[in-house]
Amino acid sequence: MSSKSIEALARENVRQLTPYQSARRLGGKGDVWLNANEYPTAVPFELTQQTLNRYPECQPEAVITRYAAYAGLNKDQVLVNRGADEGIELVVRAFCEPGQDAIMICPPTYGMYSVSAETIGVECRKVPALANWQLDLPAMQAQLDGVKVVFVCSPNNPTGQVINPEDLKSLLEMTRDRAIVVADEAYIEFCPQATLTSWLKDYPHLVVLRTLSKAFALAGLRCGFTLANKPVIDLLLKVIAPYPLSTPVADIAAQALSEAGLTAMRGRVAEILRNRRELVSALQALPGVEQVYPSDTNYVLFKLSECSVVFKSLWDQGIILRDQSKQPGLGGCLRITIGTEAECQRVVAALYALSASITAE
Ligand SMILES: *Cc1c(COP(=O)(O)O)cnc(C)c1O
């Protein structure tokens, strides 16, 4: 069979699909990686479970118990999965009928919501955020017909700000008995007071996504959590793979969620917030930078003249940032993940050198 006829066998929506442009997929040759919102250094772990001849538990007890305690929820409100990305896919698969239902997103936002929906064959309805990147509630209300899941990222990737709680409340009222509202809290450890988990008692259709990939420094582990009331969790348990986490993943996740693991995580958050403050002031003082947007996360979005020249020049020097300028409303914007103090200083030094040479031309 030719590759052309193989292509013809594939589902129409898969043939049309543009895959998620992950930081890894975009490549680059660098020694300063500030493009994927990872924690900059590795935290060592040792495996304690050696029973790899046996299948793992579907929902490892120690991980569920510890995450429930950490999140202040009951164990039956917690599902552990292969990263928050699997949580996104499970919610779409469980609630949206392909070719019939839709999801709603508010760009600019995280790219995997639309990729998951399109892969499954579910329409992705886009309601652009307002100029200040808050929700356009009237427009959302007007386009809610047929929408089964609304994704809101708070704090939002890549813009960095928390979504107004009052607006989220209005959204939850507007969608009651109609649609699931997913609050993606991948970065909530950097602004823990903004979590919506305590709202689960009032809203049966609220789902909160979490991950160990960011503040927990475990992006390579692939472990995330879906928090919701039991009826939602029970539905997701029907569609999840029988063994979503390997034994080593569950082993390390349980250690990361121990008292010592949580204390270490909070220490990392404090360090990242310190580095963020320094980086933001340096960027604000940089000629050519038009705006540094306030961030509640481990990354900063900023707008600059000569955005693509700067991005490419840093890339060539081995400093890899994330170009957001193709996203709606983000022309001229780059996103920097907060790295170590030394990494932040290297980016700032490179940016100052560049701005001097651009001005000199
Ligand atoms: C990083 C990220 C995710 C994915 O998290 P994983 O647990 O690594 O799959 C989900 N949502 C947002 C907003 C993210 O930035």
Side-chain angles (χ1 to χ4, degrees):
M1 239 184 188
S2 72
S3 64
K4 197 155 193 129
S5 52
I6 290 293
E7 169 97 10
L9 283 178
R11 290 161 61 211
E12 175 64 22
N13 57 319
V14 173
R15 275 184 272 155
Q16 300 301 327
L17 186 72
T18 309
Y20 180 66
Q21 298 295 305
S22 69
R24 278 292 165 280
R25 210 173 240 189
L26 289 168
K29 271 204 188 66
D31 51 353
V32 180
W33 291 97
L34 302 176
N35 64 342
N37 297 343
E38 298 148 325
Y39 185 72
T41 54
V43 179
F45 285 95
E46 274 176 34
L47 295 183
T48 64
Q49 308 275 325
Q50 302 295 342
T51 52
L52 295 181
N53 58 316
R54 298 292 176 197
Y55 280 109
E57 294 171 89
C58 175
Q59 291 291 296
E61 176 70 21
V63 176
I64 295 289
T65 305
R66 286 178 184 185
Y67 204 86
Y70 164 64
L73 297 172
N74 302 325
K75 288 199 282 182
D76 63 9
Q77 295 175 300
V78 178
L79 183 81
V80 60
N81 33 244
R82 184 183 14 83
D85 283 345
E86 188 185 27
I88 295 167
E89 190 193 305
L90 289 176
V91 173
V92 179
R93 284 203 356 242
F95 289 95
C96 297
E97 198 72 67
Q100 185 179 322
D101 298 331
I103 68 158
M104 180 179 282
I105 65 169
C106 303
T109 192
Y110 184 54
M112 274 304 290
Y113 313 130
S114 60
V115 171
S116 273
E118 283 160 19
T119 305
I120 296 167
V122 167
E123 178 197 340
C124 177
R125 205 167 293 165
K126 298 183 170 115
V127 180
L130 299 170
N132 63 357
W133 296 321
Q134 292 294 330
L135 303 179
D136 186 346
L137 287 167
M140 293 174 82
Q141 172 124 49
Q143 295 179 63
L144 212 50
D145 272 353
V147 169
K148 284 287 202 61
V149 182
V150 181
F151 284 95
V152 178
C153 188
S154 181
N156 187 44
N157 181 2
T159 54
Q161 89 293 356
V162 166
I163 302 301
N164 293 334
E166 285 314 308
D167 292 351
L168 287 165
K169 240 173 218 164
S170 304
L171 176 65
L172 282 159
E173 292 303 338
M174 171 196 307
T175 49
R176 208 185 265 282
D177 300 320
R178 291 182 71 170
I180 298 289
V181 173
V182 176
D184 186 339
E185 295 189 350
Y187 300 94
I188 203 68
E189 282 79 15
F190 300 100
C191 51
Q193 72 292 344
T195 183
L196 302 190
T197 46
S198 67
W199 294 13
L200 285 171
K201 63 180 184 323
D202 301 317
Y203 297 107
H205 56 308
L206 173 62
V207 172
V208 176
L209 298 179
R210 297 285 191 83
T211 180
L212 298 187
S213 296
K214 310 289 163 51
F216 283 90
L218 289 170
L221 190 65
R222 311 305 306 129
C223 184
F225 297 85
T226 306
L227 313 176
N229 287 296
K230 186 170 184 298
V232 172
I233 298 291
D234 285 344
L235 283 162
L236 300 181
L237 279 169
K238 290 172 84 167
V239 299
I240 200 171
Y243 308 107
L245 302 190
S246 70
T247 300
V249 169
D251 184 358
I252 291 169
Q255 296 176 47
L257 294 166
S258 66
E259 272 312 315
L262 293 177
T263 303
M265 178 275 286
R266 292 186 179 112
R268 286 191 295 270
V269 167
E271 174 212 346
I272 293 295
L273 297 189
R274 273 196 308 278
N275 294 351
R276 188 181 74 198
R277 220 169 300 134
E278 296 288 314
L279 180 70
V280 166
S281 3
L283 290 176
Q284 280 167 339
L286 188 74
V289 169
E290 292 165 16
Q291 192 130 29
V292 183
Y293 297 100
S295 169
D296 295 301
T297 64
N298 68 336
Y299 51 87
V300 172
L301 187 77
F302 66 113
K303 185 172 185 165
L304 64 171
S305 50
E306 308 287 346
C307 159
S308 54
V309 174
V310 170
F311 177 79
K312 173 72 167 57
S313 168
L314 291 179
W315 174 284
D316 291 340
Q317 295 175 55
I319 301 173
I320 313 294
L321 308 187
R322 189 82 148 139
D323 182 1
Q324 297 289 350
S325 61
K326 306 292 178 301
Q327 282 235 47
L330 298 190
C333 289
L334 301 179
R335 192 192 69 190
I336 305 191
T337 303
I338 311 300
T340 62
E341 200 178 355
E343 287 172 331
C344 293
Q345 285 165 355
R346 252 196 77 187
V347 184
V348 168
L351 284 169
Y352 270 89
L354 253 176
S355 98
S357 74
I358 291 173
T359 324
E361 270 166 25

